[in-house]
Amino acid sequence: MERRSPQEKKQLSYAKDRRNNYGENDKASRKNLPRKRARVHRANRHQAHTDLHGAIGPVDAEASDAAEVRLRGRRPKSFYKRPDVPLGTFVRWQLERRQES
């Protein structure tokens, strides 16, 4: 039997490993997904509240325009649950996405 190089071992690991595979314990998946989704939405609400808090008081066109620019100038955090895929496919997808940005 031949010895495998570290690169070959890594490729085999990527092919076998599955993301978010909880095995017999599905309780973790039931807890973690809503928690992650809630954290994202909470951060977005907090940022919007903070940005709009500066526009409180008498009506001022410049202040309201500045608050709107701040609010729209930030990309909101997002959450998307992707189906389980082999780790190699996920890593390849992440690298392609980073190169596009």
Side-chain angles (χ1 to χ4, degrees):
M1 185 170 168
E2 292 181 31
R3 294 191 70 161
R4 294 190 174 113
S5 70
Q7 291 81 10
E8 290 172 333
K9 288 180 182 179
K10 188 174 190 177
Q11 290 302 321
L12 286 172
S13 173
Y14 277 1
K16 287 192 291 185
D17 193 6
R18 308 267 310 169
R19 297 184 69 248
N20 300 328
N21 187 357
Y22 296 104
E24 297 298 317
N25 182 6
D26 62 339
K27 293 183 179 88
S29 63
R30 286 200 307 255
K31 292 177 185 174
N32 286 336
L33 293 178
R35 185 181 304 139
K36 289 178 183 177
R37 185 170 39 240
R39 184 180 299 142
V40 166
H41 292 308
R42 188 177 307 120
N44 290 336
R45 283 193 311 269
H46 176 74
Q47 186 64 40
H49 177 74
T50 303
D51 288 343
L52 293 175
H53 186 67
I56 294 176
V59 177
D60 182 14
E62 285 186 27
S64 63
D65 288 342
E68 186 175 355
V69 166
R70 279 194 312 271
L71 191 60
R72 294 183 188 272
R74 177 184 165 274
R75 191 175 88 191
K77 296 177 186 281
S78 62
F79 172 82
Y80 178 70
K81 168 65 171 98
R82 291 174 179 78
D84 294 342
V85 295
L87 186 59
T89 306
F90 178 74
V91 169
R92 195 174 323 110
W93 177 80
Q94 286 281 57
L95 292 174
E96 289 171 0
R97 198 179 100 198
R98 286 181 188 161
Q99 289 174 354
E100 291 173 3
S101 301

